[in-house]
Each structure stands twice: as C-alpha cells, then as structure tokens.
Amino acid sequence: MSDVTAVYYYRPKTGVDAEFAAHAICEEQTTGTWTDLSTVNEKTRYVHALDGEVLEVTPAGDGGYVTKIRYPYEIFEAGNIPQYLSVIAGNLFGLGKLETVRLTEITLPRELAGSGPKFGIEGVRRLVGTETSRRPHVGTIIKPKVGLNPKDTAEVAYQAAIGGLDLIKDDETLTNQPFCPLIERVEEVMAALDCAKDETGKQVLYAVNVTTGGDRIVECAHSAVKAGANMLMVDVLTAGFSAVQALAEDPFLQVPIHVHRTMHGALTRNAEHGIAMRPIATLVRAAGGDQLHTGTVSGKMGGKAEEILGDNREITREIPGLKPVFPVASGGLHPGKAAAEIAKLGCDIVLQAGGGIHGHPDGTAAGARAFVQAAEAAVAGISAKEYAKTHTELARAIAKWGDS
Ligand code: 3PG
C-alpha cells in the first residue's frame, strides 16, 4: 500500500529554522506534539509506524520554503475524507512557528481515492450527445441567483433551452427557500425543459442545488430526482466533501453531480497561506463529483491559466478505475470570452455564463444562442468578430460586452 504525500509552501516565523518548521508540521499531523511524550515509550514503540517523514525542504526563492511530507497509509481511514483533511490540512494551519503555510498538492494512493464519479466526462457527454463531436458544453446559471419564483425560473430555463444550451443550473445561494421551493422548482423547470425538447429534440440537463445539512442532503436529493431532476448540484466547501460523497455513493441517485466551489477564495486566494485548488480538486474527484468549477482564465474571479490547467489535468488524468471529472469554467463569462477559455483550457470543458446570457440585450434565448455561436466559432477557429458578421445574436452580445 503506498503512502500519502502532501506538499506545503510555508514561511517560518523569524528565527525559526526551516527544517525545524517542516518537522513541526510533520509531527503535529502524525504522532507528535510540541513536546516529547511519556506515552510513547519502549512498550508503545509500535506507534512509530504512524510517524510521518519530511521528504524534502527546498527554498522557494522568495523567502519561503516548500516541503514534501509523507504520511503513512495506515494513519488514514479509507473513504473518510474529513479524516484525510484532519491529517493533511488540520492543526498545522495554526502552528505558531509558522508565519504562513499553504497546502498545494496531495497524492493519494488508489486505495484511498474512493470509487470516484459515477458519470465523469464521458457519462455526461453521453447524456448530452457530444461523445463524438467532443465540443465544449455550454450552460447557464439562472440569474438573478435568488428571487425568482418557480414559474419564472422555469420560463428562464425554457428560454435558455430553446437557445441551444446543454446545461442549466441553480446558483450557489438558491436551495429550498420559501420564495422558490425546491420540489416545485424542479417540477416547473423539468416541465419547461420537456416543452423545449418537443421543439428542439434535445434533453437539457438541469442541476438543482440540493446543498443542505448533512442529515438531510440525501433525502433532499432523492425527492429532487423523484420530482424529475436529471442532475444535482452541491456546494462542496460549505456542505463538505462528505455531502458530495453521500450523493455519489447513493445507489438510487443515478444522475451526475455538479460541484460548485463557493467559499473557495477564503482558502485558495492567498498564495502563501491556506489550501490551493489542486488538493480540493483531488478530493472532489475522490468524493465522486462529476463536474467541478475550477475557474476561468478571462472571467470575473481572476484565475491564473497555468494553475487552472494544472487543476484540470489533476481531475482528468488517467487513474485506473476513477473516471475524469468534467472541469467547469464559470464566473464573469460572456460570448466574447468563450474563445479565450477554449484556447487555454481546451474542449473538454463546460463553459457557463449567467450575466453573460441573461444580460443579452435581446433576452435569455438570444443570449444562449450567442454563447453557443461563440463556442462554435472558437472550435472552428473563426474569430468571434468574424462569426458575428453572419450571427446576429453574437453580434449583439459583442456590441454590448466586446469580443475579449
Ligand atoms: C457561478 O456560479 O459561477 C456564477 O454564479 C456565475 O455567474 P456569472 O456568469 O453571472 O458571473
């Protein structure tokens, strides 16, 4: 059985030796603490089987250091992702010897990586019918993110569907509030998508946000699927990795899981402290998410192309028995930005726009068409400006937001 390794960037407090600081992390997260222990003695020396090991300490070139730590396989409870996090990302963040510390990468042995997504990229592509074309998927987040009642939500969904989108989803703050009860919303939206299907022949996915307390999420998802939902959405960082895992492992829930990462900025944004997106992505795949927001290169959240690409590689790289997760680029996109996203992130991507569709001067259906046209143009290697000469909706979008 191989062990787990984790990589950390850190800055020791002034006067603290870098090697000493790395060992402080390693010991705190395994068998040690701030002092020696009478409970670890000749009689209990078997405990040392769970000692960690500092594999390397390297200066990062900016005053900080990078360390790689090995954690023994046996310290982990297989399948218990919250426990994995307590080991690799637990107390260490509060250690007084460290000025800052950031978990940047983890490697899990296959035995700890779970059964992963039920659908993955291929499964979702099969549902949408893009296994052969391999084109990017295009979707929308209903906007405003909260406030619409179920009927009006369904009307927006219908417009988006007849505009040609593959996916419609709730936003991260819409769950089961009285102004838009979840089951009523699912029934209305799915009926609207059926009407759209009668016109277009295409079944559109609707990811309903079932994020709720751990004691209720599976039951909520069951009710949503019984009401017709063909995709589920969950906010992984607010609900927890075990929420995704509970949905993914439930045999009744045979629909893909769309994973939103709201709140990630609190962990990922500081380049010297917190948790990078990479380990979060690794754990979402282990938990069984089918689609995961990993950021955009040109949108409103300011993602770095190299990091996003690395995160996308992490969730799509070949791992025997673990399906690849479909990366989602979302946040501040509009038709003029589709080409930049596809050029940098490739075609195995779900492009999503909320404001960039529902803010179109001619409404949601036109906005959806413009986004579809922009993706088509990018895949064909035609500039959005050129394609807009023969595609009115795209031309109107570019006139409002520009072509980059
Ligand atoms: C998301 O879920 O990524 C955001 O709600 C995107 O919304 P926007 O496209 O309007 O920025």
Side-chain angles (χ1 to χ4, degrees):
M1 226 68 83
S2 11
D3 294 330
V4 172
T5 55
V7 178
Y8 304 91
Y9 169 92
Y10 66 104
R11 282 177 179 268
K13 277 255 169 76
T14 311
V16 176
D17 176 69
E19 285 276 347
F20 178 87
H23 281 90
I25 297 175
C26 181
E27 283 166 26
E28 176 65 31
Q29 299 310 124
T30 56
T31 52
T33 184
W34 58 274
T35 182
D36 56 342
L37 298 167
S38 66
T39 46
V40 180
N41 51 40
E42 266 307 293
K43 182 168 152 266
T44 62
R45 65 170 180 265
Y46 58 85
V47 163
H48 289 301
L50 299 191
D51 285 351
E53 186 185 359
V54 176
L55 297 175
E56 55 191 58
V57 174
T58 336
D62 60 357
Y65 293 83
V66 174
T67 184
K68 188 179 209 176
I69 294 178
R70 178 184 67 79
Y71 295 109
Y73 174 84
E74 293 75 14
I75 209 169
F76 297 93
E77 180 192 337
N80 185 343
I81 294 177
Q83 189 268 342
Y84 300 179
L85 280 166
S86 295
V87 177
I88 57 179
N91 281 358
L92 67 100
F93 289 109
L95 286 177
K97 303 275 182 217
L98 305 174
E99 194 68 54
T100 67
V101 56
R102 184 174 206 237
L103 171 64
T104 59
E105 214 179 297
I106 54 171
T107 308
L108 295 177
R110 183 64 193 87
E111 297 78 9
L112 295 181
S115 36
K118 278 194 191 114
F119 290 79
I121 296 181
E122 289 315 308
V124 176
R125 280 198 176 283
R126 259 195 303 281
L127 293 176
V128 174
T130 57
E131 318 92 290
T132 313
S133 77
R134 312 304 301 172
R135 67 163 173 80
H137 283 189
V138 278
T140 191
I141 311 99
I142 306 256
K143 298 279 173 176
K145 62 169 80 188
V146 288
L148 295 178
N149 63 29
K151 270 217 168 333
D152 290 334
T153 302
E155 175 56 26
V156 177
Y158 169 80
Q159 294 294 331
I162 57 164
L165 297 182
D166 306 307
L167 160 75
I168 290 158
K169 66 174 274 289
D170 289 340
D171 222 333
E172 74 282 354
T173 59
L174 179 65
T175 53
N176 190 23
Q177 296 97 321
F179 63 80
C180 195
L182 187 142
I183 295 303
E184 200 183 326
R185 180 166 84 245
V186 171
E187 287 169 353
E188 293 283 356
V189 169
M190 294 314 292
L193 296 185
D194 284 348
C195 292
K197 188 179 175 189
D198 290 343
E199 291 174 46
T200 64
K202 176 171 157 179
Q203 179 63 60
V204 173
L205 296 170
Y206 169 50
V208 58
N209 186 2
V210 294
T211 302
T212 186
D215 57 334
R216 299 187 298 277
I217 193 162
V218 171
E219 190 189 330
C220 176
H222 276 228
S223 312
V225 168
K226 281 182 199 148
N230 57 8
M231 195 176 221
L232 301 168
M233 171 175 142
V234 61
D235 297 332
V236 63
L237 296 176
T238 55
F241 290 91
S242 28
V244 177
Q245 202 177 359
L247 300 177
E249 289 178 355
D250 189 284
F252 175 77
L253 300 172
Q254 294 299 324
V255 295
I257 302 166
H258 179 101
V259 179
H260 197 291
R261 60 174 183 164
T262 189
M263 199 173 82
H264 78 93
L267 299 169
T268 62
R269 190 162 191 179
N270 185 332
E272 296 186 355
H273 190 81
I275 303 181
M277 188 58 201
R278 192 78 39 93
I280 294 171
T282 306
L283 292 175
V284 165
R285 187 177 187 181
D290 294 287
Q291 300 195 325
L292 170 66
H293 289 230
T294 54
T296 65
V297 296
S298 65
K300 70 183 179 188
M301 306 294 227
K304 289 200 188 95
E306 280 320 302
E307 278 181 26
I308 297 170
L309 265 177
D311 297 340
N312 290 356
R313 265 186 232 116
E314 170 64 12
I315 53 173
T316 54
R317 75 188 164 91
E318 182 76 29
I319 302 178
L322 211 59
K323 295 184 173 118
V325 180
F326 219 150
V328 177
S330 186
L333 295 187
H334 59 70
K337 289 182 179 289
E341 297 299 319
I342 293 169
K344 287 269 192 256
L345 304 176
C347 285
D348 260 338
I349 192 93
V350 181
L351 295 177
Q352 290 180 175
I357 282 179
H358 311 295
H360 190 282
D362 303 317
T364 293
R369 276 184 206 111
F371 205 42
V372 170
Q373 291 161 3
E376 268 168 19
V379 170
I382 303 167
S383 77
K385 239 183 181 155
E386 187 57 35
Y387 212 60
K389 289 181 184 159
T390 49
H391 294 82
T392 324
E393 294 89 352
L394 183 56
R396 295 272 290 158
I398 289 176
K400 179 165 181 178
W401 294 304
D403 66 343
S404 63

